[in-house]
Amino acid sequence: MQGKLRSVINILDLSVGELEHLMDLADRIEKQPEEYRDRCRYKKLATLFFEPSTRTRLSFEAAMLELGGQVLGFAGASSSSAAKGESVADTIAVVSNYADIITMRHPKEGAPVVAAQNSTVPFINAGDGGHFHPTQTLADILTVRRTCGKLEGLTLGLCGDLKFGRTVHSLIDAMLRYPKNRYILISPEELRLPEYEIEKLRSSGAEFEETTSLEDAIPKLDILYMTRVQKERFFNEEDYLRLKDIYVLTPEKLRNSKESLAILHPLPRVNEISVAVDRDPRAKYFYQTLCGKQMRMALILFLLGLDE
Ligand code: CP
């Protein structure tokens, strides 16, 4: 499959065929890393992070380094000229002269659209506000495919901050493209999935239900996708403190789950999964971060046209 100058802002920018291609490529990279270790020689990836990140930025950088390429960029708006008032459009126009591919995280929803319009090299959204996080979704679907052996006919429980959790919105968008998946939305009233995402579930004819009870949902699930309450998106500290520990997954709560359950979390975790769960074979969230690096390797190769 030939890459071309294009941007990935939303997971829907990739067709189902392209998702399958990227997952197959990630599997090949895992099996034969030596075949890929020089693929991006003389290529540079710019990582422009206007918001904090551990996994996304470092896995993008590790991905490019493992492909034999080089990386440049910044971690934090305060160390870039954004602190002096430079616009996203100007920043991207400049960085397009320094790198062959750009990834950017920005707190403002929609900033990646402006970035992509001003980029002369392939551009990847690494997360914009409460909006989209397509490369996290690539990590999530590879983890599901590898642990469940399929991406269809699954019951997914999405738990926690479904309002601000951009990874949840992107994951629903991706999983709706695979048939017969069922969704259990577990959240307090204040953090319900936004109406526009509910409407997508409704109009696609997907089976879904909303509940406040994690315990009631667990026995039905093939996938449990836990999320952090997004402190940085709250306007009111009091509301955050009231809601932050509303769901805490413990070994006791897993007693009635399927043995084949896969527990995912985009991380960082704060308190929503007890560390005692980490030893449980159903916990896949650290493995998910490895899948993320491999999918970012696949995406870089694809967008640079170096995947074949
Ligand atoms: N999952 C995720 O986006 O993690 P970081 O914020 O650490 O990149």
Side-chain angles (χ1 to χ4, degrees):
M1 199 170 294
Q2 196 60 45
K4 53 186 184 280
L5 175 56
R6 61 186 282 188
S7 48
V8 176
I9 292 170
N10 179 340
I11 196 68
L12 298 177
D13 292 330
L14 295 163
S15 69
V16 173
E18 287 168 339
L19 295 180
E20 298 292 323
H21 172 65
L22 292 174
M23 288 186 278
D24 292 346
L25 182 53
D27 286 345
R28 289 202 297 278
I29 290 169
E30 178 168 76
K31 284 196 189 93
Q32 292 165 306
E34 66 285 352
E35 260 197 36
Y36 296 90
R37 71 175 166 225
D38 273 331
R39 269 308 156 98
C40 285
R41 211 167 170 195
Y42 307 122
K43 298 287 183 194
K44 285 173 283 178
L45 165 74
T47 57
L48 313 182
F49 277 65
F50 293 87
E51 259 199 344
S53 166
T54 296
R55 272 145 298 276
T56 311
R57 185 172 68 83
L58 295 182
S59 67
F60 260 118
E61 295 188 358
M64 192 51 155
L65 294 171
E66 288 184 32
L67 292 167
Q70 292 175 296
V71 295
L72 66 161
F74 53 81
S78 60
S79 61
S80 78
S81 283
K84 300 178 219 160
E86 187 166 51
S87 67
V88 166
D90 286 1
T91 303
I92 294 290
V94 170
V95 176
S96 291
N97 291 324
Y98 303 153
D100 301 285
I101 183 165
I102 299 173
T103 185
M104 180 184 85
R105 171 171 291 185
H106 201 282
K108 282 202 182 129
E109 285 97 351
V113 175
V114 174
Q117 284 165 352
N118 288 276
S119 183
T120 56
V121 298
F123 172 84
I124 307 168
N125 177 14
D128 59 321
H131 219 181
F132 302 125
H133 194 348
T135 62
Q136 179 62 48
T137 309
L138 294 179
D140 299 343
I141 61 172
L142 182 65
T143 311
V144 172
R145 191 173 90 158
R146 284 180 175 173
T147 57
C148 300
K150 59 180 184 174
L151 282 159
E152 56 190 63
L154 297 167
T155 300
L156 283 92
L158 301 153
C159 178
D161 186 348
L162 309 189
K163 180 178 180 182
F164 296 116
R166 58 191 172 199
T167 63
V168 168
H169 307 163
S170 289
L171 182 59
I172 290 175
D173 288 348
M175 294 303 285
L176 276 176
R177 300 162 93 188
Y178 292 89
K180 297 196 173 106
N181 287 320
R182 186 166 167 258
Y183 304 83
I184 304 188
L185 310 172
I186 310 154
S187 75
E189 178 61 29
E190 296 90 330
L191 298 177
R192 280 181 65 220
L193 194 69
E195 196 50 41
Y196 64 87
E197 282 293 330
I198 299 254
E199 190 44 45
K200 286 182 195 169
L201 289 167
R202 251 189 230 119
S203 61
S204 70
E207 205 183 312
F208 75 96
E209 63 182 272
E210 292 186 271
T211 177
T212 54
S213 171
L214 174 59
E215 287 85 342
D216 289 352
I218 279 179
K220 305 176 199 165
L221 304 179
D222 298 302
I223 310 285
L224 172 57
Y225 195 88
M226 294 297 293
T227 61
R228 171 179 70 92
V229 174
Q230 307 262 312
K231 183 179 184 186
E232 63 276 30
R233 318 255 177 248
F234 272 75
F235 293 112
N236 179 335
E237 173 88 5
E238 215 174 276
D239 284 347
Y240 170 71
L241 293 174
R242 186 168 49 81
L243 294 169
K244 73 184 176 69
D245 291 330
I246 194 152
Y247 300 111
V248 180
L249 186 66
T250 59
E252 294 70 45
K253 288 186 188 151
L254 286 168
R255 230 181 269 136
N256 295 324
S257 92
K258 293 181 186 173
E259 249 179 66
S260 58
L261 174 73
I263 305 164
L264 275 64
H265 189 312
L267 304 178
R269 150 178 65 183
V270 181
N271 201 30
E272 54 282 350
I273 302 181
S274 138
V275 290
V277 175
D278 297 357
R279 293 187 295 273
D280 191 303
R282 290 166 287 194
K284 304 294 181 198
Y285 32 91
F286 291 116
Y287 177 61
Q288 201 177 343
T289 64
L290 174 68
C291 293
K293 184 190 71 175
Q294 293 168 345
M295 281 303 259
R296 289 179 178 109
M297 290 172 84
L299 184 62
I300 290 168
L301 289 171
F302 173 58
L303 291 177
L304 290 176
L306 298 170
D307 47 335
E308 297 300 343

